[in-house]
Amino acid sequence: MKLIICGDMSVADESVGYFEKGDYKAAFGDITDVFHKADSSIVNLECAITESEKEIKKYGPCLKGPLNTAKALKDAGVTDCMLSNNHIFDYGVKGLKDTIAALNDNGIKWTGIGKNYEDSRQNHIIKKDGLTISIINVCEHEYSYATQIRCGARPFDEFETMHDIREAKKSADYVIVIYHGGKEFCRYPSPRLMKACREMVRCGADAVFCQHSHCIGCYEAFEGSTILYGQGNFHFAMGGKDASWYEGLVLELNITKENFDVKFIPVICENGTLRVCDAKTSKEILDGFAKRSEELKNGKWRERWHEYCVSVHDIYKRAFCNHKIEDNENETQIFSHYVDCEAHTDVWKELFPTWNATNELDVEFS
């Protein structure tokens, strides 16, 4: 079985014209050749497909694409969409319903959302060549996630997601977790994220692929499984971003009863059009990827994570230290948002440790 798994995909200013016309060749370029050679081609759809103008209240942009987006995906060769991410609910229930309808109308399978939290905990099953693959698609807690009383994306839960992985492993040959989380623009995992991903492997995941960071990170082989900390964007043609925003890794999985092989294919998006990187650019991207991955082994990743947190210190200081109880809702909501979301919490714990981190460090215990 051959699976293709792509990172974050959203319609943005440089590509919206292509999607309005359904011009999949202009949008996706030569990656369509890769898609059509696979048994399943999977994309993380990080926007609603809707004509609704009613945005939810949140920090950050609300993302959507025209109705022809689903047809362009289908014509390009996409067979499945992962929907558990922090933008799928940007246009509320209407936007979510419109998205599902557009995907259904074009025969694209989907997973990662539900009418409530329990309903969202349904795995995506792919069967081929006598193999059963179970995909668990989860996201961190950032606006779009389902609750006990409202529809939304399937959230990661440090206890129940582990249970879901163990249960999936009982009936599947392989279990893949697609985790939408980690700190945006950081190429390294937080200590918490590394622990969570490794525990998912111990519970039975054969691969954990982290998306959402919008840049290519690093990876490790852990207890026979692959953990990718940052797949980078797939197709997110938003102007004015750093060069790393437009680079990503397409994952080619060749799976048999005996082997689970992961190949990394570098892609780049230029002027709203995606292309597979040439040999020179691929080498540059993969060399940097390998160097960062080596830092997971020698421990330097911990320093890199801390350096990133320091670089955003002022943003978090304003959010956590500059508000009073009587401030208005718009000002205090940023505090609530940072506490709710795991990736943001990882940063503020690094920047503002409690006294427990320094109490009596010079006193020996014997």
Side-chain angles (χ1 to χ4, degrees), residues 305-319:
W305 162 251
H306 184 74
E307 289 168 359
Y308 170 80
C309 292
V310 170
S311 75
V312 295
H313 174 276
D314 289 352
I315 296 172
Y316 285 81
K317 182 179 179 181
R318 286 195 299 271

Side-chain angles (χ1 to χ4, degrees), residues 135-280:
I135 298 177
I136 296 176
N137 180 212
V138 293
C139 66
E140 292 183 347
H141 291 73
E142 191 170 357
Y143 294 112
S144 67
Y145 60 93
T147 70
Q148 297 294 342
I149 58 174
R150 197 204 65 207
C151 64
R154 180 181 185 174
F156 171 75
D157 184 278
E158 60 183 318
F159 304 109
E160 292 185 310
T161 298
M162 304 304 173
H163 171 78
D164 293 344
I165 293 169
R166 290 192 293 269
E167 288 298 304
K169 193 65 174 180
K170 292 178 181 179
S171 58
D173 296 288
Y174 295 100
V175 176
I176 300 170
V177 178
I178 298 179
Y179 178 98
H180 196 85
K183 192 65 190 81
E184 290 171 302
F185 315 118
C186 184
R187 294 184 183 269
Y188 299 88
S190 69
R192 177 205 60 84
L193 180 58
M194 178 179 282
K195 288 179 182 179
C197 290
R198 287 181 171 184
E199 187 60 25
M200 286 188 266
V201 167
R202 294 189 186 101
C203 288
D206 297 280
V208 181
F209 301 134
C210 299
Q211 302 176 341
H212 178 66
S213 62
H214 301 303
C215 60
I216 299 172
C218 45
Y219 82 102
E220 64 175 335
F222 180 75
E223 296 189 1
S225 299
T226 299
I227 304 176
L228 173 61
Y229 302 105
Q231 190 175 349
N233 285 332
F234 171 58
H235 195 299
F236 212 127
M238 187 176 289
K241 298 292 186 179
D242 183 85
S244 61
W245 177 276
Y246 303 98
E247 298 172 350
L249 298 174
V250 168
L251 309 179
E252 180 182 291
L253 279 56
N254 291 287
I255 306 171
T256 67
K257 282 284 187 182
E258 297 77 25
N259 294 298
F260 187 96
D261 180 66
V262 182
K263 177 183 177 183
F264 303 107
I265 304 174
V267 295
I268 193 165
C269 194
E270 295 178 322
N271 301 316
T273 299
L274 196 78
R275 65 175 175 83
V276 177
C277 292
D278 58 30
K280 180 176 180 295

Side-chain angles (χ1 to χ4, degrees), residues 85-102:
N85 57 63
N86 58 305
H87 285 288
I88 198 61
F89 197 69
D90 280 359
Y91 287 82
V93 175
K94 174 73 165 63
L96 197 57
K97 287 182 175 180
D98 289 346
T99 302
I100 297 308

Side-chain angles (χ1 to χ4, degrees), residues 23 36 45-47 85 99 124 134 146 168 174 259 267 321 339 352:
D23 191 348
H36 287 295
L45 180 62
E46 199 173 4
C47 66
N85 57 63
T99 302
H124 193 59
S134 183
Y174 295 100
N259 294 298
V267 295
C321 304
V339 171
F352 309 110

Side-chain angles (χ1 to χ4, degrees), residues 26-71:
F28 293 107
D30 55 2
I31 197 66
T32 58
D33 297 334
V34 177
F35 286 166
H36 287 295
K37 293 176 182 177
D39 295 301
S40 296
S41 296
I42 303 166
V43 167
N44 168 43
L45 180 62
E46 199 173 4
C47 66
I49 300 176
T50 184
E51 293 180 340
S52 173
E53 298 293 333
K54 187 179 179 181
E55 301 177 352
I56 64 167
K57 294 172 68 175
K58 65 180 292 187
Y59 275 94
C62 288
L63 305 178
K64 69 175 180 176
L67 298 183
N68 265 346
T69 300
K71 184 177 187 304

